[in-house]
Amino acid sequence: MKTISLYVDKGTMLNKIAPESKIWYVIAAITIPALMGTRWAGIVLIAVSAALLLYGKVLKRTLPLLAVSGFVLLTVLIIQGMFWWGNETPLFALGPAVFYREGVNYALGILINIINILMSFCVLILTTKPSDMMENFVRRGFSPRFGYVFISVFQIIPQMTETMSTITDAQRSRGMETEGSLAVRIKAFIPLIAPVIMSSLINTKERALALEVRGFNSRKKKTFLNDEVKTAGDRYIQIALPVLIIAAAVWRVTQWLA
Amino acid sequence: MASLNIEHLKYKYPGTDRLALNDISLSIETGEFIGIIGRNESGKSSLCQAIAGLIPNFYKGAYGGKVLIDDIEVKKVPVDELCETVGTVFQNPFNQVTGAKATVYEEIAFGLENMGVPKEEMIRRIDRAMELLDISKYRDRYPFDLSGGQMQRMAIAGVIAMHPQVIILDEPTSQLDPQGREEVFQAVQKLCGQGITIILVEHNMEKIAQYSNRVALLDAGTLIDFDTPQKIFSRVDLEQYGVEAPVYTQIGKRLNLTIEDTGCYPVTLEEAKTVLLRKGGNDPVWL
Ligand SMILES: Nc1ncnc2c1ncn2[C@@H]1O[C@H](COP(=O)(O)OP(=O)(O)O)[C@@H](O)[C@H]1O
Ligand SMILES: [Mg+2]
């Protein structure tokens, strides 16, 4: 099964609760530390996300995503650690490169924010079937056309890439250069891309017609084969999280006034 | 009274100056298996699209005449409602996978969801459609993982789940290997046995001869002839329309062997056998 989706069904509660609840979690995880303006709030939420991911049996799948962003994070740490404008107190030196306490501290703040955002999104993305999420939106009055576009790209793009490589292979087997120097490859590129564009135009038309004759533009009220993904607890989650966000804002205001 | 009537149908695509369909009239009975043949660009797909209402409701252009299914005039019904009367299956099975569903089962539900069919009814119809097309065993498979023949049968299942009276299939097997092609033909014949009217475009004349009750021969947008496969393939001017008769008919023509009661040449293996046996006795030495 080739899709871009990162979702895997591990059969845990996290797979069963409503996607909206998890979206609220993402919103809360991002806004609460921002509202409170304290670093420990971010750290607590990273811990919560990690616990959720562990519970959802997808913590391992988070690691490669963190590793990809790790490179960017490392760059932030190095640049800010060495060159931040407020740097005063040397912390340590790696050969000629001196890292300063203030810059490293500043970078850590950024790191915590980014990791927090990434991990809370992982809670949503790794445990939610995209089509379930979209279906729930459509049930709430969201446009089915938009929902379709959103979902189908996950499936159709990998399939199109495959078609593309099939065509590339076919061209190569007819003796066309798809490797070699830049000039050779550019020359090879034009006759290669033409059939790809042609076939995708024809395919797009046929796909549009095929959707049309299956009532895609019907104005009737849609029904759903699958039951709505939700649990009894979702109502409370969807009340508790907004309340927590408001509480964080209130806390911040009282801090100001005090 | 026939269930599908086409009366003086004329159609021109926007921005062209040639009639893609030129005064076509024909009547089709409920449950018939109709083959449509003719050279490339002769108007086969256009005729299909006119019956499915895509002409003139998806493709605009100049339109004249009528297509009636029972007493419904297809032009007057929006495409998304007409799909409960006439279903359409396209050439490339891959392009008919919606890409929005994770299993074959859900994929077949797509049209029913759009039509607002209640869930229990939906489940009943999907199960029945999968059974008819012999794809129940792929129920939980990922749609894109099926073979061409299986995928095309899934597409047909998605269409018949909407309970149309007529199904149009425009070269449904041209992208399939011989096995996939045979699977699809068997399935379509089964649907025809259920009383669904079949209209099918196909380039393989052996298949047309084997399965059709009647054949429509088109050329340059004109209906040249509409008759039994025997009559159509026995025409002496067939090649003029870019159509090559089934190999059995060609043998019949070469050897001047005709079926006694109709005077036509044989079009299938079975008919060829009968004619040859009659001619050569029970042990035709030259068979
Ligand atoms: N979308 C279109 N726009 C303009 N002309 C078209 C279009 N589709 C088909 N035609 C023209 O209509 C005629 C009939 O084509 P078509 O019905 O596709 O034939 P067939 O299916 O027998 O190959 C051809 O001359 C073709 O060029
Ligand atoms: Mg065609």
Side-chain angles (χ1 to χ4, degrees), chain A residues 205, chain B residues 11-16 18-21 36-49 55 59 170-171 201 203 218 220-221:
Chain A
K205 194 187 93 185
Chain B
Y11 175 71
K12 207 158 63 178
Y13 283 96
T16 63
R18 208 166 64 81
L19 283 169
L21 297 171
I36 300 183
I37 62 172
R39 70 170 98 242
N40 278 339
E41 311 250 298
S42 58
K44 305 181 295 297
S45 297
S46 303
L47 180 58
C48 288
Q49 280 161 349
I55 287 174
Y59 295 98
D170 190 354
E171 302 189 32
V201 179
H203 281 294
L218 292 180

Side-chain angles (χ1 to χ4, degrees), chain B residues 195-211:
Chain B
I196 300 174
T197 307
I198 305 290
I199 296 176
L200 180 134
V201 179
E202 171 64 48
H203 281 294
N204 182 321
M205 295 305 147
E206 279 75 23
K207 288 274 183 275
I208 286 281
Q210 185 183 348
Y211 291 98

Side-chain angles (χ1 to χ4, degrees), chain B residues 86-110:
Chain B
V86 39
T88 312
V89 176
F90 297 89
Q91 198 168 357
N92 188 338
F94 174 76
N95 290 338
Q96 296 170 82
V97 182
T98 60
K101 301 291 182 180
T103 65
V104 169
Y105 191 67
E106 294 176 351
E107 178 71 31
I108 297 170
F110 182 82

Side-chain angles (χ1 to χ4, degrees), chain A residues 157-220:
Chain A
I157 289 177
Q159 297 299 327
M160 280 179 28
T161 334
E162 205 161 277
T163 313
M164 178 96 163
S165 69
T166 311
I167 295 176
T168 321
D169 285 347
Q171 301 285 36
R172 193 183 291 143
S173 71
R174 279 198 250 140
M176 199 164 72
E177 289 297 331
T178 49
E179 279 150 22
S181 78
L182 191 64
V184 171
R185 292 177 61 160
I186 288 175
K187 246 172 56 196
F189 186 68
I190 294 158
L192 170 70
I193 204 74
V196 173
I197 292 173
M198 275 310 291
S199 77
S200 69
L201 281 179
I202 294 166
N203 289 342
T204 307
K205 194 187 93 185
E206 198 168 84
R207 191 175 289 280
L209 285 171
L211 289 174
E212 190 83 10
V213 299
R214 287 173 77 187
F216 185 55
N217 289 315
S218 169
R219 281 166 298 273
K220 290 191 188 131

